Structures are given as C-alpha cells and as structure tokens.
Amino acid sequence: MLLHIEDLHVKYGNVEVLFGINLAVEEGEVVALLGANGAGKSTTLAAISGLLKPSTGAIRFDGHLINELPAHEIVKLGVTQAPEGRRIFSTLTVEENLNLGAFVCLDAGQIEKTRTWIYEELFPILKERRKQLGGTLSGGEQQMLAIARALMAHPRILLLDEPSLGLAPLLVKTIFRILRKINESGVTILLVEQNARAALKLAHRGYVMKVGKIALEDSAPALINNAHVQRAYLGG
C-alpha cells in the first residue's frame, strides 16, 4: 500500500472537520475523492501534505508514518500537491516556477530529465512560454504550470485539488488526457475533483465524502453506475 490513512481526525481550532477517515491508495492507481463543497476533501489532502496536523489517526506513505513530518520532508519522500486555485508564483517566469518545484531534488540530471519530459511530452505550451511571467498565462496554462511544478519534485504520488476548476470543457479534456499520461508513466494520483464524471472516467477507484466522513467506496465503474452517485454528482 503506497498511501494508507487510518481513523484520521483533523480540527480547525476546536472545530473537528474530519471524523475518522480511512482511505488507501495502491501504487500505480488513480483514486478519485468526490463530495460536495465542505465535505472535507481539500482538508484530507492538506493533512497528507503536512499542511494540517491530525488530532488523531495515522497517515502512512510507503510504510512511513508521516503525521508529524514537516511538509518539505513529506515532499522529499515523494508526495507533491497541485493545490486548488493553482497558486503559482505570478511574478516569476514559467521556468522559475518549475525550478522552485524541484527544490528537494539534488540530482541535476533528474531535474533536467523531468523538465524535458514536461516540455516535450506533457505541456509543450509551457516550453513556448518558459520565459513568460506566470501571472500573464491563461487559466488553463496556469493549471498546467501548477501540475508541472508539482511533477518537478519527481513524486511517487501526485495530489490534485480541483484541476478542472474554472476551465473551459475543451481544456478540461486536455488536462485529463495529460493526467492519464502522467499516471501511465508510473505516477500514482489522488484526485479531488468536482467534475465527478471526468474524475471517475480517469480513476480506477473512488471514495465519496460527506461531512468529514467517507460515505462510499467502490471501483470507478461501480460508482458511475451507482444510482445515488448519479443523482448527487453526475446529473442523472
């Protein structure tokens, strides 16, 4: 098991927002995390990334307990995140953003290999824009940059928080096609996404969250055909 979460409780101050989450991701999988706004999806990713500390429970990555590790140490283990809202550095160039994503990498050859993969195979538009300031990119290009920056750390698992948010339908298809290519390259993906149909078409398995708890877990095809999921998330 690459990522294993057991009985995870998280609080904001005195307010508990996750109530005993259990979740697992196998190496090589794409796992979708679905649910309404406020269900706790982004909080779950923040806890995995080390941005929030659990009050109780365990988060293990490749067998290592990571609950108390600082975020940069979790990145070194192979966990990176492309956050909701992209949060690129708007006053830095595309290439400077990518270089910052590689801050934990000591192997210059690996950094150059990853950058070449991003420019040549995943996001050629970023190569064209490499000297351009991040803040001048379109919304779709900024999302590509956020994903590419997370990949520069050479992760084993990529956490994605709403990668299709605010994008036109054609760009959403492009982003999800590239995510499939990233997964096929060997990167495991845990995906938080409001576009449940696109997420489940990409994913192997999925979890549905309700008010800080896991309400449902199944294979992606089973979730697509689940009547409740269809009514609540797929417009059926």
Side-chain angles (χ1 to χ4, degrees):
M1 193 71 64
L2 186 62
L3 178 68
H4 192 201
I5 298 174
E6 298 175 281
D7 194 29
L8 183 68
H9 293 252
V10 174
K11 295 180 178 180
Y12 286 113
N14 293 321
V15 180
E16 190 161 8
V17 290
L18 293 185
F19 305 92
I21 295 294
N22 292 287
L23 183 150
V25 183
E26 297 275 6
E27 190 150 20
E29 280 191 310
V30 178
V31 173
L33 190 56
L34 309 177
N37 287 334
K41 306 182 301 296
S42 294
T43 300
T44 301
L45 294 192
I48 296 167
S49 297
L51 302 175
L52 288 173
K53 298 302 178 187
S55 49
T56 59
I59 305 173
R60 289 184 172 84
F61 179 72
D62 198 21
H64 300 279
L65 189 67
I66 62 173
N67 295 36
E68 298 302 323
L69 292 180
H72 68 277
E73 293 292 342
I74 294 173
V75 173
K76 286 181 181 178
L77 288 175
V79 181
T80 63
Q81 182 172 352
E84 182 180 357
R86 298 143 198 170
R87 299 188 194 175
I88 62 164
F89 297 98
S90 60
T91 59
L92 300 181
T93 67
V94 166
E95 192 135 302
E96 287 168 338
N97 270 273
L98 294 182
N99 289 341
L100 283 173
F103 79 101
V104 299
C105 296
L106 300 177
D107 185 337
Q110 181 62 60
I111 293 172
E112 187 54 38
K113 182 179 179 182
T114 304
R115 185 188 291 111
T116 299
W117 176 53
I118 287 168
Y119 280 161
E120 302 298 335
E121 297 187 39
L122 299 181
F123 303 114
I125 190 66
L126 294 184
K127 184 177 182 181
E128 295 178 26
R129 304 276 195 266
R130 63 188 182 276
K131 301 301 180 186
Q132 195 169 319
L133 295 181
T136 67
L137 301 178
S138 69
E141 290 165 353
Q142 289 187 12
Q143 184 61 67
M144 293 176 187
L145 180 56
I147 295 169
R149 183 181 60 187
L151 290 173
M152 285 297 295
H154 198 54
R156 294 180 64 190
I157 186 168
L158 175 63
L159 311 179
L160 293 165
D161 198 351
E162 303 290 1
S164 78
L165 188 66
L167 301 185
L170 189 60
L171 267 174
V172 173
K173 288 183 178 179
T174 299
I175 292 290
F176 274 83
R177 186 178 69 249
I178 293 166
L179 293 182
R180 185 175 299 281
K181 185 182 287 190
I182 291 168
N183 176 243
E184 289 171 350
S185 78
V187 180
T188 304
I189 294 175
L190 178 58
L191 171 66
V192 165
E193 177 56 61
Q194 287 289 338
N195 187 335
R197 190 176 301 278
L200 291 173
K201 284 182 178 179
L202 175 69
H204 300 96
R205 294 188 300 113
Y207 292 86
V208 178
M209 292 189 71
K210 278 190 177 181
V211 200
K213 297 180 180 179
I214 299 293
L216 189 61
E217 171 195 355
D218 216 326
S219 69
L223 289 174
I224 287 174
N225 291 309
N226 181 289
H228 169 73
V229 173
Q230 288 180 351
R231 287 194 302 272
Y233 306 108
L234 302 178

